[in-house]
Amino acid sequence: MIGYESALAFWRRSRVEDPALTRELLGQLYPDDVLATLDAEALAADTSLRPLELPNSPFERIHHAALALGLREPVDIVVGKDSARRRSSSARCHVWSGPVSDGLLVGVEPGVYICSPELIVAQLAFELGLYKTISLAMELCGSYSLLVNGACEYSVPSLTSHSRISSVLRLSDPFRGIDVAKQAALYSIDGSASPRETVLAVMLSLPRRLGGWGCGKPLLNAEIMLSAAAARECSRSSLRADLLFDEADLDVEY
């Protein structure tokens, strides 16, 4: 099972290079309505991969998967206990005590699974800390993708939502970084179209005790329908607001 940074690199690349395949893979995950109504017992029971252990002589297979999926080695591999770790230049093993339900994994090669975007946020939260985890969550919930070469691609499919991330964390047993992940899910916002929009939205919306301005969450890239007169003036029927504070009738443009 591939997780952590390698899974993140996979999803970032996939949503840019093959949006149709990305949507197909996301279709393997729990639908929103199912995820929202699952309980912890059902989530724990819905797994066919425990115990999380590597098969005998796995490293040639890992190398092949890295080539097929365009991943850099060492590949981040998820195992269920410390004794299941293996040392190799092609793999970096992580002990993961969080959920590994079938509906949170996608099959990309025979016997090779990638962790869902929701699991990636959970897995990286401890290492990233709160603010970078919020940024990561908003990237995955938004329509841009940061690539390993530092470039940013825009108008790509969203991979998840803050409600999906929250649902997974609500059902999870404790793991290292779960409090950070839950806080990041609470403060993340769907619909960001760029890294700068994310920074501005986080700065304005975070409570003051966390360094923000405490303005509450805006709607990102919300459509504003125009009146007939305004539509004639603008030659369009609607406008899109970067950050819309709906209750205040305020649009903040980046």
Side-chain angles (χ1 to χ4, degrees):
M1 188 168 82
I2 298 172
Y4 292 80
E5 291 284 357
S6 293
L8 176 59
F10 169 82
W11 285 111
R12 280 173 163 168
R13 179 178 175 180
S14 176
R15 71 199 296 213
V16 170
E17 296 186 355
D18 199 337
L21 175 62
T22 299
R23 294 186 182 95
E24 181 181 326
L25 293 175
L26 292 173
Q28 296 183 31
L29 303 175
Y30 290 125
D32 291 352
D33 57 342
V34 173
L35 186 58
T37 56
L38 275 176
D39 58 30
E41 184 178 352
L43 189 76
D46 183 26
T47 179
S48 58
L49 293 184
R50 286 200 184 275
L52 285 177
E53 296 179 348
L54 290 170
N56 293 327
S57 304
F59 300 117
E60 182 177 346
R61 189 173 180 182
I62 291 171
H63 177 66
H64 170 78
L67 291 175
L69 301 174
L71 298 177
R72 293 180 175 181
E73 297 183 45
V75 178
D76 294 298
I77 301 296
V78 178
V79 296
K81 55 186 178 181
D82 196 62
S83 61
R85 291 175 182 263
R86 306 281 185 87
R87 293 190 174 209
S88 169
S89 60
S90 62
R92 180 169 47 233
C93 292
H94 302 261
V95 177
W96 172 243
S97 58
V100 289
S101 303
D102 292 355
L104 298 176
L105 306 171
V106 298
V108 290
E109 289 264 312
V112 178
Y113 298 88
I114 296 277
C115 289
S116 71
E118 299 82 23
L119 285 185
I120 293 168
V121 173
Q123 290 167 350
L124 294 178
F126 179 82
E127 177 185 344
L128 293 179
L130 176 61
Y131 302 105
K132 289 184 178 180
T133 304
I134 294 173
S135 295
L136 173 61
M138 289 183 61
E139 176 191 346
L140 301 181
C141 295
S143 60
Y144 66 93
S145 191
L146 298 173
L147 304 180
V148 292
N149 62 4
C152 184
E153 293 286 342
Y154 303 95
S155 300
V156 298
S158 171
L159 296 175
T160 186
S161 66
H162 82 273
S163 62
R164 286 184 62 89
I165 297 170
S166 296
S167 292
V168 170
L169 296 172
R170 172 180 57 84
L171 298 169
S172 297
D173 291 331
F175 59 83
R176 190 174 69 160
I178 190 170
D179 291 337
V180 172
K182 284 183 174 180
Q183 215 174 5
L186 176 65
Y187 293 119
S188 63
I189 308 169
D190 295 343
S192 180
S194 73
R196 292 298 185 184
E197 276 189 12
T198 291
V199 170
L200 182 58
V202 171
M203 179 184 74
L204 293 176
S205 64
L206 277 183
R208 293 184 179 183
R209 63 183 175 82
L210 292 176
W213 288 20
C215 297
K217 284 187 177 184
L219 299 172
L220 300 185
N221 296 288
E223 187 176 30
I224 302 174
M225 301 306 298
L226 300 178
S227 66
R232 287 193 297 271
E233 184 73 21
C234 297
S235 299
R236 62 182 70 183
S237 61
S238 65
L239 297 173
R240 194 164 294 279
D242 285 351
L243 288 82
L244 177 63
F245 292 88
D246 202 20
E247 292 185 3
D249 290 328
L250 174 64
D251 170 27
V252 178
E253 290 293 312
Y254 165 71

